[in-house]
Amino acid sequence: MSGSPFFQHDFKPGSAPDSPPDSRPDKTPSPGDARRAARGRVLIFAGWTLRIVGTASGILGFMVFRKSLESDQWSSVPHIRWWLRLLGAVVGFFAGVAVFMIGRQTVVRGKQHIADVIESLDRLPGTRYLLYLRPFSNDALMSGLPDDIQGGGNAQNFFLVSGLTYEESLVRRFRRFGRVIAIGRPGEALPLPGAARGYLPLGDWQSEVSRLIAGAHAVLLAAGPGAGTVWEFTEAVRLVPPARLLLLAYCDAPTYDRFREAVAEEYDRRSRTEPGAPVTGLWPPLPGLPDFPSPARPERPRWEVLLNGGKKRLRWDFTLKGLIVFRPDWAAKFIRFDPTTLRLSSTWTLSRLVRRELQPVMDQLTELDTREEPGDDIP
């Protein structure tokens, strides 16, 4: 499905730790000198050309292959011409897939050269923006492209797979509420497509992030057990109202549990040693983060397994497993995108599931007032 951030991906969230605060360079590591806008536009054009050529070759090969296997063609099996046509169809299809995939990666590389980079984060106060915070180790996942049709599909439909990275898809979901910005990863040669990147120096990075959190229209934070991400979550709890914080669960259940444990420890430390909210001086209550929901139907009837194309397809899951939202008293709710609730998994039914579960979140963000000053709506 084009534009969706919810494809499956073989990513192991615990495979790399968050970048610790002391890994940031001494000066702002802006990649501006490495970007070439003209080169980026050329790469995007070349990539789309390859995608079109690959799609044409792949679909033609698939159609010829399918035609060759129709019943009225069986009389031609003994003839070498039939075998050559079948071989040509197979080669054409897989060549089209390869060219198509190269084209998608080329487009992404071109987008990196024209990606939105914020020259100075000091210009953000007074503007409406959403702050996207994540473990830097998540960038390997979020910069990837979906490699299958959501929920499955036949070979011909492969060429309809989205050309957006997972981060681009996330940004597309939320950009209606304001410009989505993120802190750039230290040392990256080029920014990733998606959220606009701003870069921070090593010295006192936490105060800069704190200022960005306080001024954000909303904060989107991807859960992870690393020290930097855990500090950012507790800082968001300290500075923003509950309705302005969304916790994103791209991780699996064990990683999420480690995040919850680390948050409890960090909150206990900070609430005893550091000032609380700017207005009251007190720390808000620690949100009781809910358990990671288990699949609603981990086992399926045999007829449902057959109807959905086998057990492998029924093990399919979204990349973004769900969201945690907060009520005014900081009571938390885990909104799980659970494909096992569906009797028949398809692109349409999965998309409808996501839209239905996301609607209350979108309504909540729509109702938020514009913040005149950082902290002006903290209870």
Side-chain angles (χ1 to χ4, degrees), residues 30-282:
S30 172
D33 293 338
R35 291 186 303 151
R36 299 290 184 270
R39 182 179 182 183
R41 288 190 287 269
V42 170
L43 287 172
I44 291 172
F45 177 80
W48 272 104
T49 301
L50 290 173
R51 288 189 63 175
I52 294 171
V53 171
T55 299
S57 174
I59 292 179
L60 179 61
F62 179 83
M63 293 175 63
V64 171
F65 181 85
R66 188 172 62 181
K67 178 67 175 176
S68 299
L69 297 181
E70 292 181 355
S71 58
D72 61 350
Q73 297 292 317
W74 288 112
S75 60
S76 303
V77 170
H79 301 289
I80 186 65
R81 186 182 305 172
W82 183 88
W83 288 100
L84 289 176
R85 183 173 63 181
L86 193 68
L87 177 63
V90 172
V91 171
F93 175 78
F94 284 104
V97 169
V99 171
F100 178 81
M101 294 180 70
I102 292 171
R104 292 203 305 159
Q105 293 291 348
T106 303
V107 171
V108 171
R109 189 63 175 179
K111 289 178 180 178
Q112 290 186 265
H113 283 278
I114 61 173
D116 190 4
V117 173
I118 303 169
E119 297 299 330
S120 174
L121 294 171
D122 295 332
R123 300 174 184 173
L124 289 176
T127 66
R128 181 162 166 162
Y129 64 88
L130 279 67
L131 180 61
Y132 167 51
L133 300 171
R134 83 284 180 202
F136 287 135
S137 57
N138 273 25
D139 284 352
L141 166 67
M142 301 303 289
S143 62
L145 291 163
D147 55 8
D148 66 349
I149 294 295
Q150 192 177 47
N154 60 38
Q156 189 176 2
N157 287 341
F158 169 81
F159 298 101
L160 301 178
V161 72
S162 173
L164 299 177
T165 66
Y166 295 107
E167 184 175 318
E168 286 180 294
S169 297
L170 176 69
V171 169
R172 179 168 290 193
R173 287 276 181 183
F174 291 98
R175 65 186 180 184
R176 72 181 79 169
F177 304 110
R179 185 186 188 190
V180 182
I181 69 168
I183 303 302
R185 180 171 186 156
E188 62 185 8
L190 291 169
L192 300 178
R197 291 298 197 268
Y199 293 84
L200 295 177
L202 170 61
D204 199 21
W205 68 270
Q206 288 181 329
S207 66
E208 291 294 321
V209 172
S210 179
R211 181 175 61 86
L212 292 172
I213 291 173
H217 183 69
V219 176
L220 313 175
L221 191 147
T229 301
V230 170
W231 180 89
E232 289 167 344
F233 179 77
T234 57
E235 187 70 356
V237 170
R238 185 177 77 90
L239 292 178
V240 302
R244 296 189 186 272
L245 176 60
L246 292 180
L247 188 60
L248 311 175
Y250 282 100
C251 55
D252 56 13
T255 304
Y256 174 75
D257 288 339
R258 294 200 303 272
F259 169 74
R260 291 198 299 174
E261 294 170 1
V263 163
E265 294 175 2
E266 179 71 357
Y267 177 90
D268 180 65
R269 181 191 69 81
R270 295 192 66 194
S271 63
R272 288 187 288 104
T273 60
E274 299 179 17
V279 176
T280 64
L282 302 175

Side-chain angles (χ1 to χ4, degrees), residues 176-374:
R176 72 181 79 169
F177 304 110
R179 185 186 188 190
V180 182
I181 69 168
I183 303 302
R185 180 171 186 156
E188 62 185 8
L190 291 169
L192 300 178
R197 291 298 197 268
Y199 293 84
L200 295 177
L202 170 61
D204 199 21
W205 68 270
Q206 288 181 329
S207 66
E208 291 294 321
V209 172
S210 179
R211 181 175 61 86
L212 292 172
I213 291 173
H217 183 69
V219 176
L220 313 175
L221 191 147
T229 301
V230 170
W231 180 89
E232 289 167 344
F233 179 77
T234 57
E235 187 70 356
V237 170
R238 185 177 77 90
L239 292 178
V240 302
R244 296 189 186 272
L245 176 60
L246 292 180
L247 188 60
L248 311 175
Y250 282 100
C251 55
D252 56 13
T255 304
Y256 174 75
D257 288 339
R258 294 200 303 272
F259 169 74
R260 291 198 299 174
E261 294 170 1
V263 163
E265 294 175 2
E266 179 71 357
Y267 177 90
D268 180 65
R269 181 191 69 81
R270 295 192 66 194
S271 63
R272 288 187 288 104
T273 60
E274 299 179 17
V279 176
T280 64
L282 302 175
W283 277 82
L286 175 64
L289 295 176
D291 293 338
F292 196 103
S294 300
R297 298 188 306 131
E299 300 295 332
R300 313 290 187 88
R302 184 174 179 82
W303 68 266
E304 195 171 325
V305 173
L306 296 175
L307 184 63
N308 283 277
K311 292 183 178 180
K312 183 177 180 180
R313 280 194 61 190
L314 288 179
R315 288 195 296 266
W316 186 93
D317 200 357
F318 294 105
T319 298
L320 178 59
K321 307 300 187 292
L323 304 169
I324 295 90
V325 295
F326 302 93
R327 291 170 46 185
D329 60 356
W330 282 107
K333 178 183 179 182
F334 198 125
I335 300 175
R336 176 73 161 100
F337 304 132
D338 185 359
T340 71
T341 60
L342 301 173
R343 294 289 179 184
L344 180 62
S345 176
S346 67
T347 300
W348 183 75
T349 57
L350 288 165
S351 299
R352 187 176 64 173
L353 168 66
V354 171
R355 287 196 302 269
R356 182 179 69 245
E357 297 295 341
L358 270 181
Q359 193 57 53
V361 179
M362 296 303 187
D363 292 341
Q364 176 177 302
L365 292 177
T366 300
E367 293 171 0
L368 292 177
D369 295 328
T370 300
R371 306 183 78 178
E372 299 297 333
E373 295 291 339

